[in-house]
Amino acid sequence: MPLNQLMQTLQGLTVWVLPVLFAITLHEAAHGYAALLCGDTTAQRAGRLSINPLRHIDPFGTIILPAIAYFGGGFLFGYAKPVPVNFRALKRPRLDMIFVAFAGPLTNIVLAAISIFLFSHLTPTMPQWAQLFVAKNLHNSAQINLTLAIFNLLPIPPLDGGRIVTGLLPPRLAREYAKLEQVGLLILLALLVFIPMLGDRLHMDFNFLMPVIEYPYEWLGSILVNLFG
């Protein structure tokens, strides 16, 4: 591969990987800090109350999966090692479960707002040689954090939205709903990969998940741009 092409590939990869890396690691760290505020020290004892990405990296979910998605032109997605939370150690288990679960998506929304603000107000003042690189990182950071926040709020265990729903339901229904966590990953894989692939074979659009993410993404994105852009 020619040197110029290699440098372009590395730069293109960097402006996606860096935002993904910080979005998913700060998302997980937020869960740990929220759990600590609610009385659970599990994440603290595990050394996960850190904004150091190395503490949260999952080799497959943080590195390999986003790289495959990037080079394959697919849905850019990744995840970090889940922060351990002992929900029984929380002061108010049901209410605190909602708070701990929502802390991750809320962190991503805040990061998206910061990225939009810096993109609008910082990059125009930067030297020309750095402006494009920083602007791409901030633009991608806003997109990735918004997508990650909305995706994680889907009401499917083990996503944060599933945990929020579990905390809101009456105890009996909550126990039954929480059992979906055993097959939640299979449901997500089906919605993200297998059903859209079947639709492609049949020349039909079976990508049911994208509109569910797209409309809240556009709504929330427009609000953040109006407030911080």
Side-chain angles (χ1 to χ4, degrees):
M1 179 182 293
L3 182 59
N4 288 342
Q5 187 177 352
L6 176 62
M7 293 301 293
Q8 288 178 356
T9 300
L10 289 175
Q11 185 180 24
L13 184 61
T14 300
V15 297
W16 283 106
V17 169
L18 287 178
V20 167
L21 187 65
F22 283 100
I24 61 182
T25 54
L26 291 176
H27 175 108
E28 291 300 333
H31 288 312
Y33 279 107
L36 182 63
L37 287 174
C38 296
D40 177 30
T41 61
T42 306
Q44 183 183 43
R45 287 184 279 107
R48 299 294 300 280
L49 297 186
S50 173
I51 59 172
N52 178 2
L54 297 177
R55 296 286 183 91
H56 304 281
I57 284 177
D58 178 273
F60 179 77
T62 315
I63 299 173
I64 297 174
L65 183 60
I68 291 173
Y70 174 81
F71 287 110
F75 181 79
L76 190 63
F77 180 69
Y79 57 87
K81 287 188 297 185
V83 165
V85 177
N86 180 6
F87 291 102
R88 287 175 293 185
L90 301 174
K91 298 173 185 175
R92 301 164 297 176
R94 290 174 57 78
L95 184 61
D96 290 345
M97 178 192 297
I98 297 172
F99 175 68
V100 172
F102 188 61
L106 179 60
T107 297
N108 292 126
I109 293 171
V110 171
L111 288 172
I114 293 171
S115 299
I116 290 169
F117 179 82
L118 293 177
F119 179 88
S120 300
H121 302 285
L122 175 65
T123 53
T125 68
M126 298 185 69
Q128 190 68 35
W129 59 269
Q131 192 176 83
L132 182 60
F133 178 75
V134 174
K136 284 184 177 180
N137 270 281
L138 292 172
H139 179 265
N140 293 342
S141 176
Q143 288 188 326
I144 289 165
N145 277 288
L146 276 175
T147 303
L148 193 62
I150 294 165
F151 179 81
N152 273 282
L153 286 172
L154 293 175
I156 304 172
L159 297 180
D160 299 324
R163 296 252 167 83
I164 292 171
V165 171
T166 301
L168 291 172
L169 289 173
R172 183 178 177 182
L173 286 176
R175 287 192 294 271
E176 294 300 317
Y177 193 79
K179 292 178 182 178
L180 285 176
E181 189 161 340
Q182 301 171 8
V183 295
L185 183 58
L186 293 177
I187 294 173
L188 290 171
L189 285 173
L191 290 171
L192 283 170
V193 180
F194 300 127
I195 293 177
M197 285 177 59
L198 176 62
D200 288 341
R201 292 293 184 92
L202 299 175
H203 304 290
M204 300 176 69
D205 185 7
F206 284 174
N207 199 343
F208 305 119
L209 197 57
M210 287 309 296
V212 175
I213 295 175
E214 182 179 358
Y215 296 129
Y217 173 93
E218 292 178 354
W219 173 76
L220 182 56
S222 65
I223 292 175
L224 293 181
V225 168
N226 288 331
L227 288 175
F228 302 102

